């Protein structure tokens, strides 16, 4: 009885030494990804596993790839397998939009900058200062010619996607521009913020701009709580707004007449 523990310790020690030997051969894990030298198994997977916290994500137009932005890099993942296709060392990403052709991305950066990068090479096309705070809300126009950027200090700024030239800006006495949407034909640009009012509190407003003239229609009101998402119907004649209190409101455009009100159970709705 007294010798059994010693024999067991010898066996375990021998196994540990054998497993720890580095033959230089790289073994794959169960998904086919290479293990570090000297390793024979992996708990978990590298698929869809970002080294840093993901701040924003968006599918490419064909749905075959997913783009993620972190404070340290931008990565492209294969949707079907979760395999990382490429990574670019673009730091500070906290907002992300993919161009309609999938060739470029727009990034809102920590500290208030915004810019456009080529997705294949990671090369920067342009970069500009948009705000003094992080930029998290931005979207390409349907034809890819412009990038609309919402700031946390209440401005909407529109840049040419190729040159970075600012073509228009709008100011709302708001805490932040929390949602932006283009109509499918690019005719209308909607954005939402909340007024600085002490009584009865922040009042959400939706602004609608005609992009051909940059003239603004009368703001829409009636939402409760922060508006977290805006979306046009495929024909562009209906605008949906989703707010933090769980309410979804459908309005006709450009008149703003309320067509339906859904939800309102208190759970935030965003997109």
């Amino acid at each position: 009885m007294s010798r059994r523990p010693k024999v067991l310790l010898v066996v375990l020690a021998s196994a540990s030494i054998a497993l720890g030997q580095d033959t230089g051969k790289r073994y794959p894990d169960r998904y086919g990804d290479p293990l570090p030298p000297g390793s024979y198994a992996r708990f978990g997977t590298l698929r869809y596993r970002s080294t840093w916290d993901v701040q924003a994500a968006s599918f490419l137009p064909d749905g075959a790839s997913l783009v993620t932005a972190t404070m340290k890099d931008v990565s492209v993942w294969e949707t079907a397998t979760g395999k990382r296709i490429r990574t670019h060392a673009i730091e500070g990403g906290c907002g992300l939009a993919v161009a309609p052709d999938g060739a470029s991305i727009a990034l809102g950066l920590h500290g208030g900058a915004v810019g456009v990068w080529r997705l294949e090479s990671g090369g920067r096309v342009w970069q500009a200062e948009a705000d003094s705070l992080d930029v998290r809300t931005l979207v390409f126009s349907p034809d890819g010619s412009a990038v609309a950027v919402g700031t946390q200090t209440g401005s909407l700024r529109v840049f040419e996607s190729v040159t970075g030239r600012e073509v228009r800006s709008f100011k709302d006495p708001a805490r932040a521009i929390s949602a932006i949407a283009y109509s499918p034909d690019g005719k209308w640009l909607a954005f939402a913020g909340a007024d600085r009012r002490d009584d009865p509190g922040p009042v959400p407003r939706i602004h609608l701009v005609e992009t051909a003239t940059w003239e603004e229609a009368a703001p829409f009101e009636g939402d409760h709580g922060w508006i977290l998402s805006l979306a046009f119907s495929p024909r562009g004649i209906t605008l949906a707004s989703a707010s933090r209190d769980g309410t979804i409101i459908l309005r006709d455009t450009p008149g703003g007449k309320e067509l339906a009100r859904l939800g309102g159970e208190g759970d935030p709705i965003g997109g």
Side-chain angles (χ1 to χ4, degrees):
M1 295 293 293
S2 61
R3 292 186 177 181
R4 289 181 182 177
K6 294 181 181 179
V7 173
L8 179 61
L9 287 175
V10 171
V11 172
L12 290 176
S14 300
S16 298
I17 293 172
L19 289 174
Q21 291 178 349
D22 185 0
T23 63
K25 184 177 181 180
R26 300 290 297 274
Y27 292 93
D29 64 12
R30 59 178 176 170
Y31 296 102
D33 297 317
L35 294 167
S39 300
Y40 294 85
R42 172 180 282 124
F43 294 99
T45 176
L46 296 179
R47 305 297 175 98
Y48 281 131
R49 186 167 184 172
S50 175
T51 307
W52 307 94
D53 292 345
V54 175
Q55 302 294 313
S58 181
F59 285 102
L60 291 185
D62 62 4
S65 302
L66 177 73
V67 185
T68 59
T70 76
M71 286 294 184
K72 292 294 184 179
D73 56 33
V74 171
S75 295
V76 182
W77 310 79
E78 190 176 60
T79 305
T81 65
K83 186 176 181 179
R84 193 195 303 253
I85 301 172
R86 69 181 69 91
T87 298
H88 302 303
I90 306 172
E91 296 190 357
C94 50
L96 169 69
V98 175
D101 63 2
S104 303
I105 59 170
L107 288 174
L109 303 180
H110 175 68
V114 65
V116 169
W117 282 259
R118 297 297 182 190
L119 190 56
E120 182 70 26
S121 66
R124 186 174 63 190
V125 180
W126 59 267
Q127 182 174 323
E129 294 300 318
D131 196 19
S132 58
L133 302 174
D134 297 356
V135 175
R136 297 184 179 275
T137 307
L138 65 167
V139 63
F140 275 93
S141 61
D143 64 0
S145 65
V147 180
V149 178
T151 74
Q152 295 193 54
T153 54
S155 295
L156 180 87
R157 305 178 66 178
V158 182
F159 298 88
E160 288 183 348
S161 61
V162 175
T163 66
R165 182 179 71 90
E166 185 172 357
V167 296
R168 198 71 179 184
S169 65
F170 299 88
K171 183 70 177 178
D172 186 339
R175 293 180 177 176
I177 302 301
S178 51
I180 310 172
Y182 275 97
S183 61
D185 60 4
K187 180 179 180 179
W188 299 102
L189 174 61
F191 62 99
D195 284 348
R196 294 182 182 275
R197 297 181 185 175
D198 296 328
D199 186 18
V203 177
R205 306 178 72 190
I206 299 174
H207 302 264
L208 189 65
V209 177
E210 188 174 12
T211 57
T213 62
W214 296 115
E215 292 184 359
E216 184 178 350
F220 306 157
E221 296 188 359
D223 293 82
H224 300 288
W226 279 97
I227 298 171
L228 301 179
S229 183
L230 293 171
F232 281 91
S233 63
R235 294 174 57 193
I237 61 176
T238 303
L239 177 66
S241 61
S243 56
R244 183 170 288 177
D245 73 341
T247 301
I248 299 174
I249 299 178
L250 305 181
R251 297 180 174 90
D252 73 344
T253 54
K257 179 183 177 182
E258 185 173 320
L259 304 175
R261 184 179 291 253
L262 311 170
E265 301 298 328
D267 293 325
I269 299 175

